[in-house]
């Protein structure tokens, strides 16, 4: 089984719908991140969390919210999806104790907003 | 603001034809420079971390080097299975958001 698991892997939805992407990890890492990837733009940070009480905005947080339900779970929500949120979303973790900055990524969630 | 620029955007090589990918960066203070490999539809997979100028790391046909302004990923005698997008990222010690700042990647195709 993957260390960082994302669900769903693929989702097609309509403008205005609420969408939640979920991430769970078995690596025991404290830090969790949500990135989105768009062709020609690379990976951009949406939100990150150091623990269940610590949530921080990244570069492109507008239109998104997150919830850290437990050390191992970090979900990303789109309250009212719009077409320009169509992208590949990645959850990632890193080890606070090691503090190397290395990120471990999930397999991605492809979201299409019509 | 951190900046990471990768070149070329795309590179097509024949099997066995060695080449290098470039990553130039601007940061307040470099805590680490990372190289990742990404296959289509997959999450990025860690390759190397470099921490200081002059450092080099190798893995099979790949060798990463670091200067104060850029990093190179050298690919020696590549094989078709080396085809992927290679991502460069920096970890900045200068404050701001945590996490890594990524370049847009170099899409590498190795033809048999």
């Amino acid at each position: 089984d993957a260390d960082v698991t994302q669900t769903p892997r693929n989702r097609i939805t309509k403008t205005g719908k609420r969408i939640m992407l979920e991430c769970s990890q078995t690596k025991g890492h404290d830090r969790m991140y949500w990135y989105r990837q768009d062709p020609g733009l690379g990976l951009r940070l949406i939100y990150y969390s150091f623990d269940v009480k610590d949530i921080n905005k990244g570069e492109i947080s507008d239109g998104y919210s997150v919830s850290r339900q437990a050390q191992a779970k970090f979900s990303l929500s789109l309250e009212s999806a719009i077409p320009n949120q169509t992208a590949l979303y990645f959850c990632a973790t890193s080890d606070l104790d090691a503090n190397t900055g290395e990120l471990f990524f999930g397999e991605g969630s492809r979201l299409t907003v019509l | 603001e951190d900046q990471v620029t990768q070149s070329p955007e795309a590179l097509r090589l024949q099997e066995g034809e060695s080449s290098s990918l470039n990553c130039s960066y601007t940061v307040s203070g470099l805590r680490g420079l990372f190289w990742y490999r990404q296959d289509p539809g997959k999450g990025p997979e860690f390759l190397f971390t470099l921490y200081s100028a002059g450092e080099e790391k190798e893995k099979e046909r790949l060798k990463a080097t670091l200067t104060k302004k850029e990093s190179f990923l050298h690919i020696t005698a590549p094989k078709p299975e080396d085809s992927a997008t290679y991502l460069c990222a920096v970890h900045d010690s200068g404050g701001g958001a945590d996490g890594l700042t990524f370049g847009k990647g170099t899409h590498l195709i190795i033809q048999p």
Side-chain angles (χ1 to χ4, degrees):
Chain A
D1 290 339
D3 293 325
V4 182
T5 303
Q6 294 183 229
T7 56
R9 294 293 313 280
N10 288 283
R11 181 72 182 270
I12 300 173
T13 191
K14 295 182 179 180
T15 297
K17 294 292 188 180
R18 184 178 188 274
I19 295 296
M20 179 180 286
L21 305 180
E22 297 183 321
C23 177
S24 63
Q25 53 114 346
T26 58
K27 299 190 74 67
H29 290 168
D30 291 307
R31 294 175 175 173
M32 298 187 74
Y33 307 80
W34 277 103
Y35 281 86
R36 70 176 273 177
Q37 188 173 41
D38 300 274
L41 293 178
L43 282 156
R44 293 179 292 166
L45 181 63
I46 306 172
Y47 270 96
Y48 61 102
S49 170
F50 289 170
D51 63 40
V52 294
K53 297 180 181 179
D54 187 293
I55 304 290
N56 302 278
K57 293 182 177 180
E59 177 187 355
I60 53 164
S61 59
D62 287 348
Y64 301 95
S65 62
V66 291
S67 174
R68 185 83 183 266
Q69 300 95 327
Q71 187 208 32
K73 294 184 183 295
F74 192 37
S75 60
L76 176 71
S77 294
L78 288 68
E79 296 300 325
S80 180
I82 56 177
N84 76 0
Q85 292 178 312
T86 293
L88 185 55
Y89 290 85
F90 287 102
C91 176
T93 73
S94 71
D95 186 352
L96 177 62
D97 289 338
N99 201 27
T100 62
E102 179 184 345
L103 294 178
F104 299 83
F105 285 87
E107 291 287 279
S109 295
R110 184 169 296 280
L111 176 65
T112 303
V113 183
L114 301 177
Chain B
E1 181 181 328
D2 297 346
Q3 290 191 332
V4 180
T5 303
Q6 292 187 245
S7 61
E9 291 184 9
L11 182 61
R12 188 182 298 265
L13 301 172
Q14 293 295 124
E15 183 173 1
E17 181 184 0
S18 301
S19 188
S20 297
L21 313 182
N22 177 262
C23 171
S24 62
Y25 63 91
T26 304
V27 294
S28 303
L30 184 68
R31 292 181 67 181
L33 184 139
F34 297 77
W35 283 98
Y36 282 83
R37 170 191 170 125
Q38 186 176 22
D39 293 301
K42 301 280 189 176
E45 178 184 340
F46 172 77
L47 292 174
F48 304 108
T49 310
L50 302 168
Y51 294 104
S52 58
E55 190 174 359
E56 299 182 352
K57 290 193 176 174
E58 289 188 65
K59 180 180 180 180
E60 297 181 357
R61 295 175 292 282
L62 300 176
K63 179 180 174 181
T65 62
L66 180 66
T67 72
K68 289 186 178 180
K69 295 182 179 180
E70 59 190 351
S71 176
F72 291 93
L73 184 65
H74 306 279
I75 303 176
T76 302
K79 298 181 178 181
E81 53 262 41
D82 294 321
S83 298
T85 295
Y86 291 85
L87 303 174
C88 173
V90 296
H91 190 201
D92 188 353
S93 64
D98 194 61
L100 303 182
T101 299
F102 285 83
K104 297 178 182 180
T106 293
H107 182 49
L108 178 65
I109 298 173
I110 308 299
Q111 294 179 310

